[in-house]
Amino acid sequence: MTKKYVYNFSEGNKDMRSLLGGKGANLAEMKSLGINVPPGFTITTESCNSYYENGERIKPEILKQINEQLEILEKEIGKKLGCLENPLLVSVRSGAVYSMPGMMDTILNLGLNDETTIVLAKKNNNYRFAYDSYRRFIQMFSDVVMGVEKYKFEEVLTRVKQENGYEQDSDMNEKDLFKVVEEFKAIYKKETGKEFPMSVKEQLMLAVEAVFKSWNNNRAKVYRRLHSISDKLGTAVNIQAMVFGNMGENCGTGVSFSRNPVTGEDELFGEYLINAQGEDVVAGIRTPKNISVLEEDMPNLYKEFVDISKKLEKHYKDMQDIEFTIEDGKLYILQTRNAKRTPNAVVEVAVSLVEEGVITKEEAILRIGSDEVNKLLHATFEEKSLKNAKQLTQGLAASPGAATGHIYFSAEEAVEAAKKYPVILVREETSPEDIEGMVSSQAIVTLRGGMTSHAAVVARGMGKCCVCGCQNMIIDYKDKTLRVSDEVLNEGDVISVDGSSGKVYSGEVEKVEAQFSERFKKLLSWADEIREMRVFANADNETDAKVAFDFGAEGVGLCRTEHMFFEEDRISLVRKMILAADTQERVKFLDRLQPIQSEDFYKIFKAADGKSVNIRLLDPPLHEFLPKDDKTIEVIAEEIGVTVAQLNAKIKSIAEFNPMMGHRGCRLGMTYPEIYLMQAKAISAAAIRARKDGHEVTVEIMIPLVGLEKEISYLREKIVELVEKEIHLYATDFNYKVGTMIEIPRACLIADKVAKHADFFSFGTNDLTQLTFGYSRDDAEKFIDIYKKKNILESDPFVHLDESGVLQLMEIAVNKARQTKPNIKLGICGEHGGDEKSILLCSKIGLGYVSCSPYRVIIARIAAAKAAIGAEESATTK
Ligand code: PEP
Ligand code: MG
């Protein structure tokens, strides 16, 4: 049997999208629903692919099938292409699998030539209409099929209008249009060296071929790249009988959404024009009327349209975007598709549809993309204002949100300036010393650093907008200037930062504040009913923990204790502790740190009130804490009683070539056990105090960066011994567990042995990714971007968990750990814990919980529900 390349609208349905394209599949579906669709047929996407495989020629069997379908169409409508009694006119439109608005080509009024135009004019007793249609056709055909530039035709129209003192195209009368047609044909001949084709069959085949070709025009290719649409899909071509909205006062054309695409409200939202063709609405030549006015203009038709719109919505189980034309008082639907909408409308519509019984709660959850949730939780820039904004630079979208402020290049100056107006901190990179500047700023922009760099992790934790790794910026700290190409900005100048796109703009861009509607809360409650994975938060202090609990976190999954040392009074103690000459000296500073830590832990326990709190023992990449400037070095030297030279020598001896692979995590605990013991004591004291105050306490003590069984066995023993001693001493019990982070590939491979000494595993996928790939998490952005562009990496592995490598190691660890302890608690606390795609993967390998920054808790709750529903991929807005 020969393959079927061409389908009548009566032969297809909505599920044949990949073969018929979105438009073709929906036209066929509407036809089967009994909706008045002008008849026609679809040439499949496979025909487009075969056109390319066949050296850009349409195969004879496809041509044959097109002709057969054309005959069927002619019979159905009682008109014939090129016929001098009753000529058929058709539209030829592309129709890709995923909508690519305006990217490919369309030709209207095909079938007109010198003769059929006269027939059309006489039949309708309207020469103006006939010649206007003909000139539009010549112009579109010349542009789409032969590549004759549009402006050459526009020049003629402008001249004719000027000569006659007309303002609009519609002022041209039949005589003007007749002359325009002659001039257009002459342009065609001059530009192509051929006469404008009078053969309507030739017109049709050339048009079909041109639509196939438009699949590979530049703008379509760029659009596909931007929206991750495969080049292999091809486009379908829809040939459809023309209906005219421009034949008089009982005609019209319009576009309407079945609901409001901005708010999601259940009301028609659209516009239309009486006596016009579709392109007039789009081109803005005349101001269209609001769709509600149609109710007065043509009440019956309006009612019919409302009914159709509801019917289509129910049928597609989603809000629709519908194009229609009215010809001679009769309503035709030309297209329907799922409507694009704002994130707020995504939620409103999905929840309303559940309430109306159209979709299930699960379907509603699958419709919400994590990008959309992100936008709902953070301010965004107003679209129109954004279009006019001048982009300064682009970096990594490290922490979402939108902020405008005055730039400052040091934390101290940012803190000072923030007292008078909003500030944005711009740094080459941030370090713990910058923490107060970060707190005072509306946004943080850095030149260096990736998605897990200090700036990114800390900003995300604070819910603060951040763009990292803007590599083309030059910051001159001395002159206090920021240079990007030719543009120079001074301290105090205003910029706007979009943490969701990674773009930075000069000047102010208007903002839209975050929205958190009742319907969204409802959707979240459904997600909680459905999900199986638990959701915890990475929170380093009481404030973050409270924010996280408000967002629905079930506990703290990671408290990075080194982050508790960032504040000025503490950082100097930590520095002195690190730089102490010997154990005795170190213990002196540790003794001063202990009550401070204990107080912080106590506050978190109190806020958590029985929810589990996971405290990770100190894991500072030492370089982040070493003093850098001469003044600080002088002060510390004096305070610890050494000379500046001696202190510099000590700093030099501690400094590492590769700090992220150096003396950090449990290695520090092994070499200076007194540090971890101080922390265990601070935890015990805080827990005992909280218990005495009537609070439940469940604490997990987590040992970082374990790679050897002996590291964890040694440290666990010491910690348990101390905690038990404290419990005994104060005769107050509390729930505690000791476990480890899994961040080193070796730990995954020996997970069965590590599990002997651990009550839980928490995958630290930031370090695990760094060490599995061998990519520095602070520098990799330099080449990851290029790798992505060259298709070497599909995505940044620090953002989306690497399925074939890192996840495999995690799976090995999960299986091995369960061999030793079948019920061991397993979860993730790397940045991937707040990424939807990664959460789906974590669920696949059987992790019981995810922990993420407070502001991603909601995304994680929804993603965990999607995982329980069995989603493979996140929702897309393609
Ligand atoms: C990790 O490595 O994934 C982790 C959570 O720890 P940190 O980012 O603090 O190194
Ligand atoms: Mg780590």
Side-chain angles (χ1 to χ4, degrees), residues 457 558 560 562 616 619 664 741 743 763-768 777 829-831:
V457 172
L558 172 66
R560 291 172 161 108
E562 62 280 2
R616 178 179 74 185
D619 177 19
R664 57 178 285 224
M741 286 185 88
E743 316 175 80
F763 287 95
T765 45
N766 301 335
D767 278 310
L768 190 59
R777 57 194 264 194
C829 64
E831 294 302 300

Side-chain angles (χ1 to χ4, degrees), residues 152-415:
K152 298 201 161 116
F153 299 97
E154 294 297 336
E155 275 174 0
V156 174
L157 295 178
T158 310
R159 201 196 64 234
V160 173
K161 283 191 284 184
Q162 261 171 8
E163 282 170 4
N164 293 288
Y166 302 149
E167 276 186 9
Q168 295 181 348
D169 287 2
S170 54
D171 294 335
M172 290 185 289
N173 62 31
E174 59 192 61
K175 279 197 195 122
D176 300 324
L177 288 164
F178 184 79
K179 273 193 243 151
V180 166
V181 162
E182 290 308 310
E183 284 200 49
F184 276 17
K185 284 193 292 185
I187 294 173
Y188 183 93
K189 185 164 182 200
K190 182 162 171 250
E191 296 297 324
T192 67
K194 291 182 210 152
E195 295 289 347
F196 186 77
M198 290 294 129
S199 154
V200 290
K201 277 278 169 68
E202 187 186 343
Q203 289 176 357
L204 181 63
M205 292 311 161
L206 286 172
V208 170
E209 208 177 325
V211 174
F212 285 158
K213 282 203 168 92
S214 72
W215 174 252
N216 271 338
N217 71 28
N218 252 345
R219 57 184 202 275
K221 280 195 205 162
V222 170
Y223 186 93
R224 289 201 292 274
R225 215 178 32 247
L226 282 175
H227 294 84
S228 312
I229 298 173
S230 161
D231 286 334
K232 293 192 189 117
L233 298 177
T235 181
V237 186
N238 297 294
I239 315 276
Q240 190 173 25
M242 286 292 303
V243 279
F244 293 95
N246 57 341
M247 270 171 36
E249 292 305 304
N250 62 347
C251 301
T253 186
V255 182
S256 180
F257 293 87
S258 58
R259 298 189 188 217
N260 185 318
V262 182
T263 62
E265 269 172 87
D266 189 4
E267 59 183 9
L268 282 188
F269 182 98
E271 39 196 31
Y272 76 104
L273 272 173
I274 291 284
N275 197 8
Q277 263 201 316
E279 53 180 345
D280 299 336
V281 183
V282 184
I285 300 165
R286 286 160 54 194
T287 311
K289 296 188 201 177
N290 191 297
I291 190 77
S292 59
V293 184
L294 188 65
E295 192 170 9
E296 294 152 34
D297 282 352
M298 302 181 179
N300 290 341
L301 242 145
Y302 178 76
K303 189 175 171 306
E304 192 186 341
F305 184 74
V306 171
D307 291 347
I308 290 176
S309 135
K310 279 284 151 221
K311 184 172 182 173
L312 286 173
E313 230 194 48
K314 271 231 161 71
H315 184 73
Y316 282 96
K317 297 182 170 190
D318 203 357
M319 164 183 168
Q320 296 296 296
D321 167 358
I322 307 165
E323 282 178 28
F324 64 93
T325 285
I326 303 160
E327 186 188 83
D328 236 350
K330 198 164 177 197
L331 177 65
Y332 293 88
I333 305 297
L334 300 186
Q335 171 158 320
T336 190
R337 58 185 164 190
N338 290 345
K340 298 241 190 289
R341 65 205 84 170
T342 62
N344 196 33
V346 170
V347 172
E348 289 296 312
V349 172
V351 175
S352 304
L353 290 175
V354 176
E355 289 165 350
E356 291 163 28
V358 179
I359 59 172
T360 62
K361 292 173 184 175
E362 285 79 3
E363 283 172 313
I365 286 166
L366 291 177
R367 287 199 184 165
I368 318 295
S370 58
D371 282 354
E372 284 150 350
V373 177
N374 232 337
K375 285 187 187 144
L376 286 174
L377 297 175
H378 297 90
T380 47
F381 285 127
E382 201 274 321
E383 251 176 60
K384 263 199 207 130
S385 182
L386 197 60
K387 269 195 191 131
N388 300 325
K390 182 167 177 253
Q391 190 178 323
L392 186 65
T393 179
Q394 157 109 53
L396 299 171
S399 179
T404 295
H406 301 259
I407 55 172
Y408 282 84
F409 303 106
S410 81
E412 299 80 59
E413 279 156 339
V415 170

